[in-house]
Amino acid sequence: MWFVDDGYEYHVFYLKASRALGDPNRRHFNVTVGHAVSDDLRSWREVSDALIASESPAFDDYTTWTGSVVRAPDGTWRMFYTGTSRADGGLVQRVGVAASNDLYTWAKASTEALVEADATWYEKYDGATWFDEAWRDPWVFADPDGDGWHMLVTARANHGEADGRGVIGHATSPDLRSWTVRAPLSNPGAGFGQLEVPQIATIDGRTVLVFSCLHGELSEDRKRTGERGGVWAVPVDSATGPYDVEKAFQLTDESLYAGRLVQDRDGAWWLFAFHHVDDSGAFVGALSDPLPVGWAPDGRLHVSDGRFDHLA
């Protein structure tokens, strides 16, 4: 899921699939980008879906997945999103963009991808090393010094142990139109097979990276220590990296996933996520209520209502 505040309403975009599919794992390839709005970040009204897969042939004629929304200098909104194609069997992920004047009606820019993994730094799908070619969940933000735009991406390095190649991919743009893939902003070997839905936020003057990783995609070394998955966080010195994700700690357990930090109009920060599994381990798939977050005395960001104090 990803959020945007237009000054009047809060908008959340999210992946949605019919429960008539039965098997929750089928949701990944039977999905649309849903859209809901709220006045208070608590009560939500669902509106028309934002995106669906394109007609073939296109880089996104199989699925449209997670992304982010920013407002361009010309006042239009840009949604950067993940796409997969039927030609690749949904195994190769790329990033595209759609534009809107009102956040309700979106027009995709092209049937061609905007940016994809560059083999100079990133792993390409080979059918053996990993189950897909990771280049998804684009998080776009303006450079803090006014020098264009940055895109953070769920990606994998092209070297290292297979279960620890997860990195934060990076691309830059002067204008939100043309993008150049750069070296990753984190190093492989930190113990994560993938770092999903990355986000950068600055809370009370301190910058933090959040991402998500489930137990199944942790390295064997992390699994042996008893670590589980969930939403992770790590304070960073700069929004534009580098990020030492080896020092990441959990914000939540696996009951919540794909966490996003959202600031309300009063300046308070909240964590949203989707309800991933219940106490029995069954998939849930629903938007959480906002959870308050704040900095602990030990320098860690934490969910400040005490719900996940056991992870400290």
Side-chain angles (χ1 to χ4, degrees):
M1 71 197 75
W2 55 108
F3 294 78
V4 64
D5 179 5
D6 67 6
Y8 301 96
E9 294 177 309
Y10 299 101
H11 299 252
V12 61
F13 300 92
Y14 49 90
L15 305 187
K16 59 181 290 189
S18 173
R19 293 191 182 275
L21 291 167
D23 180 357
N25 290 322
R26 295 180 63 198
R27 71 188 188 278
H28 300 296
F29 294 98
N30 297 272
V31 63
T32 60
V33 175
H35 181 194
V37 296
S38 173
D39 295 324
D40 59 5
L41 289 174
R42 288 164 178 81
S43 298
W44 294 92
R45 174 174 58 88
E46 191 170 22
V47 296
S48 297
D49 290 352
L51 292 180
I52 61 172
S54 296
E55 296 293 324
S56 297
F59 87 96
D60 60 348
D61 61 19
Y62 199 176
T63 65
T64 51
W65 288 342
T66 299
S68 60
V69 173
V70 297
R71 195 162 205 169
D74 64 5
T76 60
W77 299 96
R78 308 291 174 84
M79 181 186 294
F80 296 86
Y81 66 95
T82 310
T84 68
S85 73
R86 294 185 179 278
D88 297 320
L91 296 173
V92 177
Q93 299 153 12
R94 301 177 176 90
V95 170
V97 65
S100 175
N101 291 319
D102 60 6
L103 292 170
Y104 286 88
T105 301
W106 294 89
K108 295 179 179 179
S110 175
T111 58
E112 300 294 325
L114 186 69
V115 63
E116 61 183 285
D118 185 331
T120 304
W121 300 287
Y122 300 102
E123 180 184 278
K124 305 293 283 185
Y125 182 69
D126 64 6
T129 306
W130 197 248
F131 48 79
D132 59 20
E133 181 175 314
W135 192 262
R136 66 181 181 276
D137 310 333
W139 179 262
V140 174
F141 64 96
D143 183 87
D145 297 323
D147 186 18
W149 301 81
H150 297 266
M151 179 188 293
L152 308 183
V153 188
T154 296
R156 284 174 50 83
N158 60 9
H159 62 282
E161 295 293 330
D163 64 0
R165 289 189 180 187
V167 293
I168 301 296
H170 186 213
T172 60
S173 174
D175 56 10
L176 293 175
R177 292 181 175 84
S178 61
W179 289 85
T180 301
V181 177
R182 308 290 187 184
L185 294 177
S186 67
N187 293 322
F192 300 96
Q194 55 187 14
L195 297 88
E196 297 195 277
V197 289
Q199 179 191 5
I200 278 287
T202 299
I203 299 175
D204 298 330
R206 304 168 68 182
T207 302
V208 64
L209 169 74
V210 296
F211 62 91
S212 292
C213 185
L214 292 172
H215 177 261
E217 282 74 55
L218 295 177
S219 69
E220 289 303 317
D221 286 344
R222 283 189 179 268
K223 289 176 183 177
R224 277 193 290 270
T225 68
E227 287 189 355
R228 305 295 299 177
V231 182
W232 299 73
V234 59
V236 297
D237 293 331
S238 169
T240 57
Y243 311 140
D244 187 358
V245 297
E246 192 169 357
K247 297 179 179 178
F249 50 85
Q250 285 182 260
L251 279 177
T252 77
D253 57 29
E254 290 192 356
S255 66
L256 294 177
Y257 201 65
R260 294 294 199 190
L261 295 170
V262 179
Q263 187 177 31
D264 68 24
R265 296 188 195 119
D266 294 324
W269 283 90
W270 307 88
L271 177 73
F272 284 85
F274 79 79
H275 289 289
H276 176 225
V277 292
D278 61 21
D279 291 341
S280 72
F283 179 76
V284 179
L287 179 66
S288 73
D289 289 330
L291 299 170
V293 294
W295 293 104
D298 64 0
R300 293 186 173 197
L301 190 72
H302 74 127
V303 177
S304 55
D305 69 354
R307 178 172 175 180
F308 296 105
D309 285 352
H310 63 286
L311 298 174

